[in-house]
Amino acid sequence: MTEILLSLREVSMHFGGLKALDKVSFDLCDGEILGLIGPNGAGKTTCFNTVSGVYRPTSGEIRFGGIRTDGLPPHRMAALGIGRTFQIVRPFPNLSVLDNVIVAMGLPCYRGIIPSCGSWKRQKTRDGAMELLSKVGLDLQAPQKAGLLPLGNLRRLELARALALNPRLLLLDESFSGLRHEEVAMQEELVRKTRESGISILLIEHNMRVAMGLSDRLVVLDHGLKLAEGSPDEIRKNPEVIQAYLGKEGHSNVA
Amino acid sequence: MSDYTITIGTFIAIQAIVACGLNVIVGYAGQISLGHAAFFGIGAYASALLTTAGGFSFWGALPLVLFITGFIGLVLGLPSLRLKEDFLAITTIGINFIVVSVFLYVPFFGGALGIGGIPRVILFGTRLRGTPFLFLCLAFLAAVQLVSWLFTRSWSGLACFALREDEAAASSMGVSPVRFKLAAFILGTAMAGLGGALYAHFMRFISATDFGFPMSVMILSMVVLGGMGTLWGPVLGALVLGMLPEVFRPLTEYRMFLYAALLLLMIRFQPGGLLGESSLARQIFSRLKGGEKE
């Protein structure tokens, strides 16, 4: 049994009367790709936001690497080793693609007053960022303003930025949506390579083919509740999951 | 140089220092502030009180002045952590009015009469006035520019740029919004405090009305005109807006009209400012630079 990197215990997130997450528990093992799927409004992104520190869960416990992390702000989570991408891409539009990555490389320098006075315009930093950019295939776009890039490139830029944090866990929020077929293949390849380099991945994905193909295990959410958990094959055959996605058999008048 | 030119030059240099401070907050960290004159005033009053009632010399008072304005900047920067855009703008206007009324109505600050009898700056045993004082202001301006330049190259500066561009993305990369926004407020307001101290010892008499909301708008106009977030923009803005009223002096009646028309034309045709990105000056400069390479 491999070590557990991230664990959620009975995590609930309520917005007023809405239970976006209702006592959700699951574990993510070190080195694993765990897929988080579910219909629209199931609570996937809310789940991500509690893990990455954007929301403080209403109740429950989140542990990352053995440390209790629920309620810590996002910048602390980044320092602990969680990198993330956003469902709606959030580049720094007026900074160059290269500088976008360099922002993330400053992670160790943002915590202290003296290191944060150091210069970011060093050749070593630049080279490190260029290396990451060529890894995701954006080295030619390095001097361009990030705001000018098309969506496919922005998704890869977000991945490069998250990798620049040197994370132990990567949260990918629909990193494949809005991409062309060949871009999806490229992104899949990148995710696989990332895992091979020893980074665990938690991903939200709507594209079932991608989610099933990439994930070692899947967690299915529906209306804030955990519906099922298991290998892609188990999930594919699970009647409750099929029902959540397609509706109950015999009750529909369609078709 | 005539006394008149020197006086105008000194005003421009002092306002450039204050504008550079605002540029750190607005241009680098992206936090709207329409109350920067408050800190200009706090610096001026702090220096005036320390040198008259407190018995300090200008040089002894200066570190205290920077500390006081920076500290008040930190406290008044706290709203920026919760407020954004127009709400922050309105709050900073409010702060400006509150600071001015405190100076005006609290007897300790001299009330409507202000503070007079502020001593001149003494350097190497000579009282600075006229040209030497202008050079002192220019030296401080150079120091402020150096600090600004170092700031843009530091991780703190980059963290501020990232916060300006996208706060959620920046914090997911380990940038603490609280820490770096407040750092920008401290640095920017301390620069305004420096400008205020120089102003007090130049005028030798100050009153609350010098630091009102119109002054804040003027300083913001300088930053916008020159180019927000550029190193030399605020200096150029201070130079242009400081000289225009003098250039248009023969047209007394139409002076303010021309001044406003120029600002409107700028916003229409060069929204990034004179030195901003894709501005005429930048394009010409990069074309010249490109020509050299070929």
Side-chain angles (χ1 to χ4, degrees), chain A residues 90 94 111 116 118 120 145, chain B residues 153 156 165-166 179 277:
Chain A
R90 289 177 168 274
N94 289 311
R111 307 253 350 236
S116 65
W120 57 276
K145 263 195 186 186
Chain B
R153 297 177 64 88
S156 304
E165 299 287 314
D166 193 312
R179 177 195 289 249
E277 235 163 287

Side-chain angles (χ1 to χ4, degrees), chain A residues 40-68:
Chain A
N40 286 326
K44 303 180 296 284
T45 298
T46 308
C47 183
F48 252 46
N49 284 339
T50 56
V51 172
S52 64
V54 177
Y55 299 142
R56 176 194 287 270
T58 318
S59 65
E61 211 177 285
I62 299 172
R63 282 176 186 276
F64 177 70
I67 306 163
R68 187 155 175 191

